[in-house]
Amino acid sequence: MSEVKKSAAGGGGGGGWTRFVTARPRLTLLVALVLTALAVLAGGGVADRMGSGGWEDPAAESTYATEALERRFPGSQPNVLLLVDAGAAGVDAPAVAAEARRLAERLDAEPGVDGVGSYWSTGSPALRSEDGRQAVIAARIAGEEKDAAAVLDRIAPAYRGAHGPVEVSLGGGLAVRHEMQTVIQEDLLRAELIALPLTLVLLVMVFGSAVAALLPLGVGIVAILGTNAVLRGITEFTDVSVFAQNLTTALGLGLAIDYALFVVRRYREELAAGADTYTAVRTTLRTAGRTVLFSALTVAVSLAAMLVFPQYFLRSFAYAGIAVVLLAATAALTLLPAALVLLGDRVNALDLRRLLRRGRAPRKDTSGAGWGWAAALVMRRAPVFAIVTTAGLVLLGLPFLGVKFGTADDRQLPVTAASRVVQDQLRDGFPGNPGGGITVLAEGTATPAQYADFRERISALDGVGRAEGPVTAGGGSAYFTVVPEGETVGAGAQRVVGELRAAEAPFATSVTGPAAVLVDSKDAIADRLPWAAGIIVLVTLLLVFLLTGSVVVPVQAVLLNALSLTAMFGAVVWVFQEGHLAGLLGFTSTGDIETTLPVLMFCVAFGLSMDYGVFLLSRIKEEYDATGDHEHSVRFGLRHTGGLITAAAVILAVVMVAIGTSRVTNTKMLGLGVALAVLMDAMVVRSLLVPSVMKLTGRLTWWAPGPLRRFHDRFGISENDTYNPAGTPDVIEVSEELREAASSRQ
């Protein structure tokens, strides 16, 4: 600490932020430890307060109809199904019928349960299996999702299992969502147990020093625990999807490690160049720290764009993503510098790689030389690399042209999940999936003849298997049940929804059911997608302009980022929609992709790609400002960040693959898809496409019209530091590279 105090007092000229985070490093870390402990307490049990739905548009016609039917006709919207298996005796055997009626009466008396109906009370063929061995008791548990799940937890043990001559299993939408929530929590814990030790091993391989490797991991843990506390607070005011916890873990570890890698790497470079501890920290914050701040803003903006969508599933990822990004950046820019001040050059302690080097002569440090050579090779053949790489990425994305959108159902769960087993039996063995049809709510007075005429007209619509009803109630309300031909939410069912909404009637109608919810969800996403994309693109252009002062670089960054996502979207369709590798990866292909997943994956992957883009561009710009040599700056930037970006991408990919081991298909798709996007961005786009495109644009890369140049001179931010204690070695290295470049040109 004496060295630190001396440097601080000696007029090194550290900025206000540096003085703030390093003046009392022990106090800073103690406060962080206390806040983290409070976050553990505040965030405890957050998963139990989250929902497993959120795909519906709250303002849609289907949502209105569902809520109205729940109030007036609870039995029309069953969310709990008791599958009664009578075996060889058959469901019409007297003993079986008596036991089933007793179970239905008992269920009807349960607090919180409404609208109980069954095959034995209605005689509906839709509630009886085609082989006569099984039949259904249907009911609705009303209330908010968390309250309904609590009721299900309370009553399920009393009904599941053997009851005299029958065996009862529980299914239905509520049971599926509740089991999905449980599976996600279990999978998340397993993913963390996989990711943390593997991440630590990779960090040790990157840094060599065990001490340096622990710092990024600590930042990630602080970000994850803090975000859980934030989400716990948000659940007090709005719904939050349990799926968002997966993003919290992935981004908490991934981005915190990215930021900490960048900061620690720059700090160690400054130490190696002869700077003292305080000066190294100050220079690191004024250079790498600014890059981390810009990176965090770009990622946060990409994730914040999901707030424009009405579905709380997507909004939840925005809540979690913004919180974890800002907390990761804050920890990297406060706790990490404080720790570095205390550690000094001991950040290099416990170099585990020495064990591998024993007995060998020390080698000359050629760190980054391979990346510089690769950049030079790419730029020498820039047109070839640009065309071939672009064509390859576009080709990988072509399967996405055949994407089909659907809705999440029980087939997200593994085939052994209890509620999935019930739904499979209902889907395969019953003439119509109970609870899976289309419901038409009729409001307004009408005569029996008018109701009958409407039923006949909708029965005659193309794609309708049968229409039942009306079921009436006081106050001029009724509903009809329409069973579409084919899949419950297939293209045919979606067409039927449109035809039902266009059908003329002497009363007001509104349509709901799984197919109607899907139609409304797709419409809501299509309506708001241009706004989300516009926010991401415009803010990204602005931030990259402020960083570089160029109008060309931001456009390049957006276009190349978009290209980096093509492989991910193509793989999503080829693997998950078309079912290739389904056996290997352990999921059931439904022939479509859940509507919100591509939006989520785009926002997450685009933000992460910009994260790496900012790291590379900031170092290129820093060198270009110092030398004015465009090609040298590109080589220099890739040489000094290529290995770092690749290491960060591999570590983040490991975390995302750990998330991708989930037994829930959507989570598997998110984890594996984003892992692929991150690796493609770091290893293909940043290594091949960026240097080749920047070579083709030449010095035009840094062009901006006069007014914008003056704006950047006044408001822009760059990594250039007017005081650089490591300047001499850098100048020597630059001079050597310039001489090599000159020789090659000769």
Side-chain angles (χ1 to χ4, degrees):
M1 282 295 295
S2 60
E3 179 189 63
V4 175
K5 291 178 180 178
K6 181 179 177 181
S7 300
W17 180 252
T18 305
R19 289 193 295 272
F20 174 76
V21 299
T22 60
R24 299 286 188 273
R26 288 187 175 86
L27 180 61
T28 299
L29 294 177
L30 179 61
V31 170
L33 182 62
V34 171
L35 292 176
T36 302
L38 293 175
V40 172
L41 296 176
V46 62
D48 295 331
R49 300 182 58 83
M50 292 178 164
S52 53
W55 293 281
E56 305 87 359
D57 176 4
E61 176 183 320
S62 57
T63 304
Y64 166 79
T66 298
E67 293 172 351
L69 287 164
E70 182 177 333
R71 291 191 304 269
R72 303 171 197 170
F73 305 96
S76 67
Q77 301 286 297
N79 57 5
V80 175
L81 303 176
L82 273 59
L83 181 63
V84 180
D85 192 332
V91 296
D92 294 317
V96 170
E99 181 63 26
R101 290 190 182 97
R102 188 188 68 80
L103 287 170
E105 291 171 1
R106 180 181 166 192
L107 182 62
D108 194 37
E110 296 280 1
V113 179
D114 297 314
V116 176
S118 71
Y119 163 72
W120 295 274
S121 63
T122 66
S124 172
L127 300 179
R128 179 182 182 273
S129 66
E130 294 175 342
D131 63 8
R133 290 171 173 260
Q134 296 174 317
V136 168
I137 300 173
R140 181 167 188 85
I141 299 179
E144 296 292 330
E145 190 173 333
K146 292 183 284 289
D147 297 332
V151 173
L152 180 64
D153 277 338
R154 174 174 56 81
I155 68 173
Y159 292 90
R160 187 182 291 117
H163 294 269
V166 301
E167 185 80 20
V168 178
S169 304
L170 267 66
L174 180 60
V176 168
R177 291 193 298 272
H178 191 45
E179 188 164 10
M180 192 177 297
Q181 187 172 10
T182 302
V183 171
I184 287 172
Q185 293 179 43
E186 295 171 353
D187 291 347
L188 183 59
L189 176 60
R190 186 181 67 253
E192 291 170 346
L193 294 176
I194 294 172
L196 286 172
L198 285 178
T199 297
L200 181 58
V201 170
L202 290 172
L203 286 170
V204 170
M205 292 173 63
V206 171
F207 283 124
S209 162
V211 173
L214 287 170
L215 293 175
L217 206 58
V219 172
I221 292 172
V222 168
I224 292 170
L225 295 177
T227 302
N228 284 339
V230 171
L231 292 178
R232 173 63 177 79
I234 293 175
T235 60
E236 295 290 336
F237 305 99
T238 188
D239 293 317
V240 179
S241 172
V242 69
F243 286 92
Q245 275 204 304
N246 295 292
L247 189 68
T248 297
T249 297
L251 290 186
L253 281 177
L255 288 177
I257 288 169
D258 283 358
Y259 299 155
L261 271 173
F262 203 61
V263 170
V264 174
R265 173 73 173 270
R266 187 61 181 255
Y267 172 74
R268 295 176 80 189
E269 285 181 5
E270 298 298 324
L271 286 183
D276 60 73
T277 298
Y278 179 81
T279 304
V281 170
R282 190 204 66 180
T283 303
T284 297
L285 285 177
R286 294 187 66 180
T287 55
R290 289 171 177 171
T291 301
V292 166
L293 180 60
F294 264 78
S295 172
L297 289 175
T298 57
V299 178
V301 166
S302 294
L303 296 170
M306 286 185 284
L307 290 173
V308 307
F309 297 100
Q311 295 93 334
Y312 86 74
F313 175 81
L314 287 174
R315 298 173 69 89
S316 299
F317 284 94
Y319 305 146
I322 293 170
V324 77
V325 169
L326 296 182
L327 286 171
T330 300
L333 297 178
T334 55
L335 308 185
L336 197 53
L340 293 174
V341 167
L342 293 176
L343 287 170
D345 59 7
R346 287 172 296 179
V347 72
N348 298 315
L350 300 179
D351 187 352
L352 303 181
R353 292 185 300 194
R354 289 179 182 174
L355 300 175
L356 302 176
R357 294 196 298 263
R358 282 186 177 177
R360 303 183 199 173
R363 294 183 304 171
K364 182 181 178 181
D365 183 16
T366 58
S367 176
W371 289 101
W373 174 85
L377 173 64
V378 170
M379 288 192 289
R380 280 199 299 270
R381 299 289 185 269
V384 174
F385 279 99
I387 293 171
V388 171
T389 304
T390 300
L393 291 173
V394 171
L395 185 64
L396 290 174
L398 287 180
F400 193 71
L401 296 177
V403 66
K404 298 177 182 177
F405 294 110
T407 189
D409 60 20
D410 59 281
R411 288 170 290 183
Q412 292 279 316
L413 289 167
V415 293
T416 55
S419 58
R420 162 76 186 272
V421 171
V422 171
Q423 296 301 123
D424 280 340
Q425 291 175 318
L426 293 172
R427 189 163 32 244
D428 299 335
F430 283 68
N433 191 351
I438 302 170
T439 306
V440 182
L441 173 65
E443 297 177 289
T445 57
T447 65
Q450 289 174 318
Y451 282 139
D453 178 65
F454 181 71
R455 183 183 65 241
E456 290 177 6
R457 282 192 285 113
I458 62 177
S459 298
L461 293 175
D462 185 34
V464 172
R466 67 177 187 275
E468 300 174 351
V471 177
T472 59
S477 296
Y479 75 88
F480 299 83
T481 301
V482 178
V483 179
E485 297 174 346
E487 287 285 334
T488 302
V489 293
Q494 295 175 56
R495 285 194 299 271
V496 169
V497 169
E499 293 177 0
L500 289 172
R501 287 175 171 171
E504 295 183 1
F507 36 74
T509 62
S510 49
V511 181
T512 187
V517 170
L518 174 58
V519 169
D520 291 339
S521 180
K522 289 166 63 175
D523 288 345
I525 289 175
D527 182 55
R528 292 164 175 81
L529 189 59
W531 290 98
I535 290 170
I536 292 174
V537 170
L538 290 176
V539 178
T540 299
L541 291 173
L542 175 62
L543 289 174
V544 178
F545 168 75
L546 290 175
L547 184 66
T548 64
S550 163
V551 297
V552 178
V553 173
V555 175
Q556 285 182 353
V558 170
L559 294 178
L560 298 186
N561 269 21
L563 268 177
S564 72
L565 307 185
T566 54
M568 175 185 72
F569 284 125
V572 161
V573 171
W574 190 79
V575 174
F576 290 94
Q577 177 178 303
E578 298 178 5
H580 300 100
L581 307 182
L584 178 64
L585 298 178
F587 68 92
T588 300
S589 174
T590 58
D592 52 44
I593 302 297
E594 202 282 316
T595 313
T596 58
L597 254 293
V599 175
L600 169 62
M601 296 175 74
F602 171 81
C603 292
V604 173
F606 188 91
L608 293 175
S609 297
M610 279 307 306
D611 182 41
Y612 300 135
V614 167
F615 287 168
L616 176 58
L617 290 173
S618 63
R619 204 66 190 262
I620 293 174
K621 180 63 164 60
E622 178 186 5
E623 188 64 14
Y624 182 74
D625 287 344
T627 67
D629 188 314
H630 173 68
E631 292 187 26
H632 157 72
S633 299
V634 176
R635 290 198 308 273
F636 182 91
L638 199 60
R639 177 175 178 177
H640 284 263
T641 64
L644 183 67
I645 289 173
T646 302
V650 169
I651 292 171
L652 180 55
V654 166
V655 176
M656 295 306 303
V657 169
I659 297 295
T661 62
S662 173
R663 293 165 291 170
V664 176
T665 305
N666 274 358
T667 305
K668 188 187 299 291
M669 190 187 311
L670 174 65
L672 298 181
V674 173
L676 176 61
V678 165
L679 292 175
M680 292 295 293
D681 181 76
M683 297 182 178
V684 177
V685 173
R686 304 298 152 202
S687 303
L688 303 177
L689 206 51
V690 169
S692 61
V693 170
M694 294 190 84
K695 164 67 175 180
L696 293 175
T697 53
R699 293 179 64 88
L700 180 65
T701 303
W702 309 105
W703 177 82
L708 288 180
R709 281 201 306 273
R710 290 188 290 274
F711 178 86
H712 180 265
D713 290 341
R714 183 172 182 181
F715 299 105
I717 299 177
S718 70
E719 279 204 356
N720 248 352
D721 196 342
T722 55
Y723 176 77
N724 182 10
T728 303
D730 280 349
V731 169
I732 292 173
E733 180 180 52
V734 169
S735 300
E736 290 174 351
E737 290 190 9
L738 286 173
R739 282 198 297 272
E740 292 172 3
S743 299
S744 65
R745 285 194 292 267
Q746 292 173 357

